[in-house]
Every structure is written in C-alpha cells, then in structure tokens.
C-alpha cells in the first residue's frame, strides 16, 4: 500500500543553518504530497503541499518539490529560526483523499 | 476561530471506563476524519465520513472504537472499556471534497490517558 518514509530525527541545528528533511514515498497512481508541522502540545498544521509532479510547494521560507522520478518530496529551508523547532511530518494522499498516510515525523530543534 | 475544534483537549480515565470525544469540523467541510497519534509516531488513520455517511471504518482499531456523525456536522468518537494501550492523541480533521483532492485541516487533538 501507499507509504511515506522520512528521515529519522532528531535533527539539531544552529540558528540560520540550512535545513533538509528527506521524504520518499511509495504510491500507486498520482498522490498529492504534503508537509505538516506540529508544535508541542498542538495538532498538525499544513505547511505546504504539491499536487502533481514538478510542483513546488512553499510557505514561510520552507520549500519542497514533488519529484516523481525519485519519488521524493524533501523539505528545505535556507535559514532556520528557533521558532521553527517542531516535529515535521511528510504525508501523501491518494486520488480519493480519504486516507492520508504520514511518515513517522522528524523532530527539529534549532538552537540560538 | 473557524478551525476544527475538538473537546475535551485532555482526558484522564480509569481502565475499563468509556470515553467520548467530540469534533466540530470547519463549517463548509463535508468530509471528517479521525486519526490516532501515539508518541513518536505519525498520525494513523481510523475512519472518515462524507456528510453523515461513514465510508471507511475497517481501520478502526477494534470493536471498542466507534464513531458517529449523525447530522453530517459534528462527530463523536467513542472508546468503550478503555485499555492502557488506548492512551494517545486522537486527532480530528476535515476537508471539502467537491472535486478532486482538497487539503485536510486538523484540530488540536484530544489527549487520552488511561490509568
């Protein structure tokens, strides 16, 4: 079945460092791909999404490009801030959008 | 605030008791989803509704779990005879499924601790 594999954490970076969190997927058909962020004690917030190959999702300085040839959707940010500390989840949904599959999450800690 | 609303946010219950969580989706959304999230894991899909119809429930964890959405608006998730392994965060989400795929928006979750 459809699944998502993302980079294991935790990831610890200094402020202003470059961030990459890897995500690869397995799916039949043409899924939509998402990154969600979860701050401590809160639910998930949509960070960005891409619905077809070569689309780039971007938000708050984060970017991810839907790469069908490598079945990947890596999350990047050029300069992280302390406020970016959170858990990041890669996810996909299939054609019917009724069963979103999530990766296990990557915890990011940014130190001043 | 017109986001997905869940309550209670936290619930501590004794093993064997029944618990019920409520979810109020974004008002114009016709789809409603329930997920479970345990520590260190991503959310796990449980069930979903389109309007009042429960279209998928095979992923509910056991027959102790049930969900309803009687009028196609709010939903409840009930866990009967709770066990310690039920301790988790229960997330509700909603989306507008008109044509094709639409973004799913999550609530802040309901934490369950079974003691």
């Amino acid at each position: 079945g459809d699944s998502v594999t993302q980079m294991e954490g935790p990831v610890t970076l200094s402020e202003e460092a470059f961030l990459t969190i890897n995500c690869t997927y397995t799916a039949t058909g043409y899924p939509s791909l998402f990154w969600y962020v979860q701050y401590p004690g809160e639910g998930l917030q949509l960070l960005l999404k891409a619905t077809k190959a070569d689309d780039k999702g971007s938000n708050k300085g984060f970017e991810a490009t839907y790469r069908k040839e490598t079945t990947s959707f890596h999350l990047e940010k050029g300069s992280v801030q302390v406020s970016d500390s959170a858990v990041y989840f890669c996810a996909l949904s299939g054609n019917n959008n009724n069963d979103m599959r999530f990766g296990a999450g990557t915890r990011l800690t940014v130190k001043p | 605030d017109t986001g997905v609303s869940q309550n209670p946010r936290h619930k501590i219950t004794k093993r064997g008791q029944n618990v019920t969580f409520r979810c109020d989706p974004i008002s114009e959304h016709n789809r409603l989803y329930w997920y479970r999230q345990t520590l260190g894991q991503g959310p796990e899909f449980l069930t979903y509704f389109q309007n009042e119809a429960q279209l998928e429930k095979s992923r509910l964890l056991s027959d102790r779990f049930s969900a309803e959405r009687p009028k196609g608006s709010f939903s409840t998730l009930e866990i009967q005879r709770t066990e310690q392994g039920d301790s988790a965060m229960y997330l509700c989400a909603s989306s507008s499924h008109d044509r094709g795929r639409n973004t799913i928006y999550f609530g802040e979750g309901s934490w369950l601790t079974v003691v």
Side-chain angles (χ1 to χ4, degrees):
Chain A
D2 295 355
S3 66
V4 171
T5 302
Q6 66 180 99
M7 182 172 123
E8 289 189 16
V11 174
T12 303
L13 296 173
S14 297
E15 206 165 23
E16 299 184 2
F18 184 85
L19 169 71
T20 300
I21 301 177
N22 290 339
C23 171
T24 57
Y25 68 91
T26 301
T28 55
Y30 303 95
S32 292
L33 301 173
F34 304 83
W35 278 99
Y36 281 83
V37 58
Q38 188 173 35
Y39 298 100
E42 299 185 9
L44 279 73
Q45 299 176 25
L46 177 66
L47 182 59
L48 53 85
K49 69 176 184 179
T51 58
K52 61 183 187 297
D54 300 324
D55 270 2
K56 177 186 282 187
S58 61
N59 186 25
K60 299 180 182 179
F62 291 89
E63 293 183 341
T65 301
Y66 189 143
R67 300 284 187 202
K68 193 170 188 300
E69 64 276 13
T70 54
T71 62
S72 65
F73 193 55
H74 304 321
L75 182 69
E76 296 182 337
K77 186 174 185 182
S79 176
V80 293
Q81 305 300 312
V82 173
S83 58
D84 294 327
S85 298
V87 181
Y88 292 81
F89 292 93
C90 186
L92 69 80
S93 70
N95 293 332
N96 292 325
N97 201 41
N98 61 344
D99 181 358
M100 183 170 278
R101 303 295 179 98
F102 286 85
T106 302
R107 179 175 299 278
L108 170 67
T109 301
V110 180
K111 295 187 174 180
Chain B
D1 185 6
T2 58
V4 178
S5 175
Q6 293 186 243
N7 67 81
R9 292 291 315 280
H10 299 89
K11 178 73 175 178
I12 300 174
T13 192
K14 292 184 178 179
R15 189 174 51 188
Q17 297 294 305
N18 299 343
V19 295
T20 299
F21 299 110
R22 175 177 169 129
C23 173
D24 289 272
I26 294 171
S27 59
E28 63 268 26
H29 285 180
N30 55 359
R31 282 203 170 179
L32 186 149
Y33 311 81
W34 284 100
Y35 285 78
R36 184 179 80 154
Q37 185 179 17
T38 53
L39 283 175
Q41 298 297 316
E44 175 186 13
F45 173 79
L46 296 178
T47 186
Y48 87 103
F49 295 83
Q50 180 151 321
N51 300 312
E52 66 276 10
Q54 190 173 13
L55 299 185
E56 173 60 67
K57 57 182 180 181
S58 65
R59 303 275 294 277
L60 285 168
L61 299 165
S62 78
D63 58 7
R64 297 184 296 106
F65 287 71
S66 62
E68 294 183 345
R69 193 183 184 197
K71 298 182 180 179
S73 57
F74 74 92
S75 175
T76 57
L77 176 70
E78 182 181 20
I79 308 173
Q80 296 182 324
R81 305 181 302 282
T82 53
E83 301 173 357
Q84 287 189 320
D86 298 331
S87 297
M89 182 160 70
Y90 292 86
L91 289 163
C92 178
S94 69
S95 71
S96 174
H97 189 77
D98 296 322
R99 291 178 298 173
R101 311 166 200 177
N102 292 282
T103 300
I104 294 176
Y105 295 89
F106 284 82
E108 294 189 334
S110 293
W111 283 99
L112 173 65
T113 301
V114 181
V115 297

